Amino acid sequence: MDRDHLAETEGALTVTDRLWRAEMRRVFGPDAVLLHGFSAERQGEPGSRLRTTFEARRCAIAAWRHVRRPAA
């Protein structure tokens, strides 16, 4: 595992998660992640800031998981 790349993807995930959570709170209120974090609402409407932050977070999660996979 490339520790530098792992740290980079962890940093990106931290930032994108923070932005998504902030947008969830803005749209749905203080309990947004608890109430909507696993429902379709978490994605937001196409073209919305919530959708943009959701997609950035989704990509960051995928990159982080990819780096964590053991080498074949």
Side-chain angles (χ1 to χ4, degrees):
M1 179 182 333
D2 180 348
R3 294 203 182 276
D4 289 336
H5 197 195
L6 178 60
E8 193 177 296
T9 60
E10 284 176 345
L13 177 52
T14 299
V15 169
T16 57
D17 184 64
R18 189 176 299 135
L19 291 170
W20 173 75
R21 288 172 181 273
E23 190 60 18
M24 286 284 287
R25 280 190 302 276
R26 189 186 75 75
V27 172
F28 296 113
D31 292 331
V33 175
L34 291 173
L35 297 174
H36 305 290
F38 295 97
S39 66
E41 287 85 2
R42 76 186 187 280
Q43 296 180 38
E45 296 296 320
S48 68
R49 285 193 308 184
L50 183 54
R51 177 64 65 98
T52 300
T53 59
F54 174 82
E55 289 299 328
R57 180 178 177 268
R58 186 184 61 76
C59 290
I61 290 169
W64 177 77
R65 286 180 175 159
H66 179 75
V67 170
R68 290 184 43 115
R69 272 192 210 118

